[in-house]
Amino acid sequence: MTEPMTAQQRLVLTVAVLGSSVAFLDSTIVNVALPAISRELGGGLSTQQWTVDAYLVTLGALILVAGAVSDAYGRVLVLRIGLIGFGIASVAVALAPDPAVLMIARAVQGAAGAFLVPSSLALITATMRDPLRARAIGMWTAMTTGATVVGPLVGGLMVDYLSWRFAFIINVLPIAVGLFLLTRLDLPGDGAHAKNTRIDWLGAAMCTIGLGAAVYALIEEPNAGWAAPGIWIPGITGILLLVAFVLRQRTVRNPIVPLSLFRRRNFTAGNVSTLFVYAALSLNGFVLAVYLQQGAGLSATLAGLASLPITFLMIALSARVGALAGRWGPRIFMTAGPLIMSAGTLLLLTVSADFDYWWQVLPSMLVFGTGLAVTVSPLTSAILGAADAAQAGIASAVNNAVARVAGLLPIAALAAITGGALDLAGFHRAAIVTAILLAVGGLVSLVGIRSLPD
């Protein structure tokens, strides 16, 4: 029987959920608001893509730095900085008068969000041990993924009855609660290594600029073609900077990403599986939210409600699955979950011009939600369990960086995936690509994950 949590551990879990939820919620709440943003500010598909990717680029790039800073200077300090920055950026997004300001504010929001997730999970890892840690991560997964999936519903209600701008203002409330609860935490050893730590700021710049340049080339390539200097120059520059970043991590004295982590089989295999699974999640969430409005003609609220069954399944199953993974090991769950999600995604091929949510979408949501609940908590536990407690922040940061980068790549390549238009044919193409990505993620776990720790 799992030991009960202490009062401080319950507070840690609450703070971790609040800190992560605002970042996760915002990454999906925006999907259902994209048509309204495009109608009001203009810019078409490019504005929609950059509204998502401006956030994910800075989130994915800076989350590595944030993980290192979290381990060095303390999780509470990093969380506080992230919450304050995220709140200010959310207000700036809500007040944006044009696409340029919106993109800048979204980029700042992503940078602040990078400080939230790794420090939140590191708090859990540093204050709990298995099997209590596995159960806590299961509860964290249920609540944060629930926030992620319920995002389209919240966004839809805001868009239909108020304005898309309120979908970002709403972040202020959980941020205020999180900042208050941080004052109640008592973690005397938090940030004890700060005096002996140096951050590789040059490596951080290489990673951020490299990722941003490569993603810019992917998004803008359909408009100009690879032959245009404004496309191939940033594309090649970005790739070279990312390669140089990895090489630098092998020799720099204080690497942002200790490459020794990747000698641990579960850490490496778990992150490879994450790459495929979260690429699929991002693609599916974006395409479903936009197509249900622009293709099937649903309101923003109804488009948000479409994925609500996934939320219920995550809340009902994730904590239990996390506890079982703590006892049986993560491999079986990390293999079965993505394959179940893949089957659920293929059910979207039944969507036709004669649209019917109950027969064409709901079955997919039920199967997909079951697979998601089976996957996420064991995946997170396997990766964090492969790292030492002192590296919990950077281990979480690497995994979240992989997840966010995985999320932005299919959005950047959306035109190629859908055939240039998000019509019914493009929707079906995206569903097939999503199913393939998920199946590969499950097979990677089957081959690479060990049920016993490294």
Side-chain angles (χ1 to χ4, degrees), residues 122-177:
L123 276 175
I124 295 175
T125 304
T127 56
M128 304 179 202
R129 295 292 177 266
D130 280 332
L132 181 61
R133 177 172 60 187
R135 184 165 68 91
I137 290 176
M139 296 170 69
W140 176 89
T141 300
M143 289 182 275
T144 56
T145 308
T148 301
V149 179
V150 83
L153 172 59
V154 175
L157 290 170
M158 296 295 177
V159 170
D160 283 343
Y161 298 103
L162 294 170
S163 164
W164 64 264
R165 300 177 185 274
F166 283 89
F168 298 95
I169 288 289
I170 197 174
N171 291 328
V172 173
L173 180 58
I175 286 173
V177 175

Side-chain angles (χ1 to χ4, degrees), residues 6 51 81 103 120 153 165 170 204 213 307 314 317 338 364 405 413:
T6 65
T51 300
I81 292 171
M103 305 316 158
S120 297
L153 172 59
R165 300 177 185 274
I170 197 174
S307 59
M314 287 298 301
L317 299 177
S364 171
V405 171

Side-chain angles (χ1 to χ4, degrees), residues 9-36:
Q9 287 172 333
R10 287 195 296 272
L11 186 57
V12 162
L13 179 59
T14 303
V15 169
V17 167
L18 281 171
S20 302
S21 290
V22 291
F24 289 155
L25 177 68
D26 217 72
S27 67
T28 59
I29 199 173
V30 68
N31 286 339
V32 79
L34 290 174

Side-chain angles (χ1 to χ4, degrees), residues 308-387:
L308 198 59
I310 299 177
T311 305
F312 292 144
L313 287 165
M314 287 298 301
I315 294 172
L317 299 177
S318 289
R320 178 61 177 165
V321 169
L324 290 174
R327 288 202 308 240
W328 298 347
R331 184 184 181 191
I332 186 173
F333 300 95
M334 291 173 60
T335 301
L339 295 178
I340 294 171
M341 282 192 285
S342 180
T345 303
L346 289 176
L347 290 175
L348 290 175
L349 295 178
T350 62
V351 173
S352 65
D354 186 15
F355 181 78
D356 187 312
Y357 171 79
W358 301 105
W359 294 105
Q360 297 174 359
V361 178
L362 180 60
S364 171
M365 297 297 98
L366 294 174
V367 176
F368 189 92
T370 301
L372 186 62
V374 169
T375 303
V376 179
S377 177
L379 175 62
T380 305
S381 296
I383 291 170
L384 293 186

Side-chain angles (χ1 to χ4, degrees), residues 276-288 338-339 341-346 348-349 364 368 410 414 417 426-441:
F276 288 100
V277 169
Y278 277 82
L281 291 176
S282 178
L283 178 61
N284 188 65
F286 183 100
V287 169
L288 192 63
L339 295 178
M341 282 192 285
S342 180
T345 303
L346 289 176
L348 290 175
L349 295 178
S364 171
F368 189 92
L414 189 64
I417 292 172
F427 179 74
H428 285 165
R429 290 190 195 98
I432 293 171
V433 171
T434 301
I436 293 171
L437 291 170
L438 288 166
V440 173

Side-chain angles (χ1 to χ4, degrees), residues 27 39 44 65 98 134 142 154 157 181 233 252 257 291 326 377 383 441:
S27 67
R39 285 194 300 270
V65 184
D98 55 55
V154 175
L157 290 170
L181 292 180
I233 290 177
V252 71
V257 181
Y291 178 78
S377 177
I383 291 170

